[in-house]
Amino acid sequence: MEHYRSLNSYLHETFGRKLYKLALDGNFSCPNRDGTLDNRGCIFCSGRGSGDFAVKAGSDLDAAIDKAIEKVSAKNKGGGYIAYFQNFTATYAPLPYLRSLYTAAIENPKISVLSIGTRPDCVGDEVVELLSELNKIKPVWVELGLQTIHEETAEYIRRGYKLPVFDDAVSRLKAAGLNVIVHMIIGLPGESAEMMFQTAEYIGKSGADGVKFQLLHILEHTDLAMDYREGKFRALELEEYIPILEGCIKRIPPQMVVHRITGDGAKRELIAPLWSGDKKRVLNTINKAFDEDALIQGSLL
């Protein structure tokens, strides 16, 4: 049995096949880095803005897409592709640039979906209107970095916006007919399991279509790494992570698509938790636990 509504299942239901994400770098910045809000970025964010595996788009997006396809070609057995603008804030640019870049992605015949990673405070009405327009050509997904609903934690990680900003963004994006995916980090310093469950519940009630559960990674060259080395917090062990993940999945609606149940940082920069580097073992262990615990998405609603 499937214990949760996985992205793979959703893709087969919706598109009749698997789609592979092509991580693309659209040369974006972020208000948390250019001085608008801060110049240090979020406390956990790597120098490439969480886009360590992304291909630079440059002036020829089609060429970048082909290069990204080469990176996943060994895994692709007849699937299609999602153009995923992943790093930094992929709506934080002048509207003409966004229109040109996203239209090029949408018009590429190899692309089935356009997915955009951004911040809730960077989806103004003009951006929403543009994305809604493109969504009439091919599906557009908007991924919002929420991470937590707890304001003390949000201030610590330098998120840079209050919770009502997230609520407003989801409301406007959904009203425009867009698919919304919310990022949540499990294991943020100072948060108890119950606090993480509260964030999952909130996401489940937000109106969003999907969720990404991301394990907190401590990466080199981040302020989070300094706090970790100073002993201000510790990383979760796998046997701690799994029951928290299960508790989160039990608290979201059965129809919500779970796009990710963990995550792996660039190994060359990973400080902790080192167990996360063995992706195959981690996923096997998680799935075995789901079987043993008879996990059912939404069972605690």
Side-chain angles (χ1 to χ4, degrees):
M1 65 173 290
E2 185 168 76
H3 300 286
Y4 61 96
R5 192 179 185 206
S6 68
L7 175 60
N8 191 43
S9 292
Y10 171 76
L11 292 174
H12 278 91
E13 292 167 13
T14 309
F15 301 95
R17 60 178 177 166
K18 185 176 179 67
L19 301 182
Y20 293 82
K21 277 199 170 181
L22 306 177
L24 300 168
D25 180 347
N27 196 34
F28 293 99
S29 182
C30 175
N32 245 6
R33 286 184 179 269
D34 70 358
T36 301
L37 296 174
D38 207 308
N39 53 24
R40 297 167 295 171
C42 291
I43 197 170
F44 51 77
C45 197
S46 70
R48 291 197 65 189
S50 300
D52 299 285
F53 307 108
V55 174
K56 280 275 188 185
S59 58
D60 188 344
L61 183 62
D62 289 341
I65 286 171
D66 287 340
K67 185 175 180 180
I69 287 173
E70 287 178 18
K71 296 177 73 171
V72 301
S73 60
K75 297 186 293 183
N76 188 354
K77 308 298 181 185
Y81 299 100
I82 299 168
Y84 180 27
F85 290 94
Q86 178 179 13
N87 53 328
F88 295 111
T89 303
T91 57
Y92 190 59
L95 198 68
Y97 177 76
L98 297 179
R99 179 177 292 278
S100 173
L101 184 70
Y102 294 154
T103 300
I106 285 278
E107 291 180 347
N108 187 299
K110 298 172 185 175
I111 297 302
S112 299
V113 175
L114 171 63
S115 188
I116 299 163
T118 188
R119 298 166 53 93
D121 55 348
C122 293
V123 283
D125 290 340
E126 287 187 335
V127 170
V128 173
E129 185 177 346
L130 169 62
L131 299 182
S132 178
E133 178 185 324
L134 295 172
N135 191 48
K136 293 177 174 65
I137 305 170
K138 288 179 184 175
V140 176
W141 298 352
V142 182
E143 303 195 15
L144 299 177
L146 173 65
Q147 322 309 358
T148 179
I149 63 166
H150 302 287
E151 294 296 353
E152 186 175 348
T153 311
E155 289 180 15
Y156 169 71
I157 64 175
R158 300 197 294 260
R159 191 178 68 188
Y161 67 85
K162 300 290 187 182
L163 191 56
V165 176
F166 165 79
D167 297 332
D168 176 64
V170 174
S171 176
R172 289 184 296 107
L173 289 164
K174 290 306 302 171
L178 294 155
N179 189 297
V180 177
I181 302 151
V182 182
H183 291 218
M184 172 185 170
I185 295 180
I186 294 176
L188 286 168
E191 291 206 346
S192 64
E194 184 56 38
M195 292 171 73
M196 297 177 223
F197 296 155
Q198 289 166 1
T199 294
E201 280 188 1
Y202 197 94
I203 292 170
K205 296 174 182 177
S206 68
D209 304 277
V211 61
K212 279 187 173 180
F213 295 114
Q214 171 70 57
L215 166 71
L216 178 72
H217 292 102
I218 299 96
L219 302 176
E220 288 283 8
H221 315 301
T222 63
D223 289 347
L224 187 67
M226 290 190 289
D227 285 359
Y228 177 75
R229 286 185 166 127
E230 290 173 7
K232 294 182 178 179
F233 71 98
R234 65 177 187 83
L236 292 175
E237 298 295 338
L238 180 55
E239 56 268 25
E240 296 173 299
Y241 180 77
I242 292 174
I244 296 174
L245 174 64
E246 289 184 333
C248 291
I249 293 174
K250 290 176 182 178
R251 288 168 168 83
I252 60 172
Q255 71 274 16
M256 179 169 273
V257 180
V258 179
H259 287 244
R260 176 180 288 169
I261 57 173
T262 180
D264 50 337
K267 291 184 181 179
R268 66 184 179 275
E269 295 184 350
L270 181 65
I271 298 172
L274 293 177
W275 56 261
S276 67
D278 189 347
K279 188 173 182 178
K280 185 175 181 180
R281 171 182 167 263
V282 169
L283 290 175
N284 286 341
T285 304
I286 289 174
N287 288 321
K288 182 181 178 183
F290 286 0
D291 285 338
E292 291 175 348
D293 299 336
L295 174 72
I296 298 175
Q297 181 174 333
S299 60
L300 288 183
L301 284 177

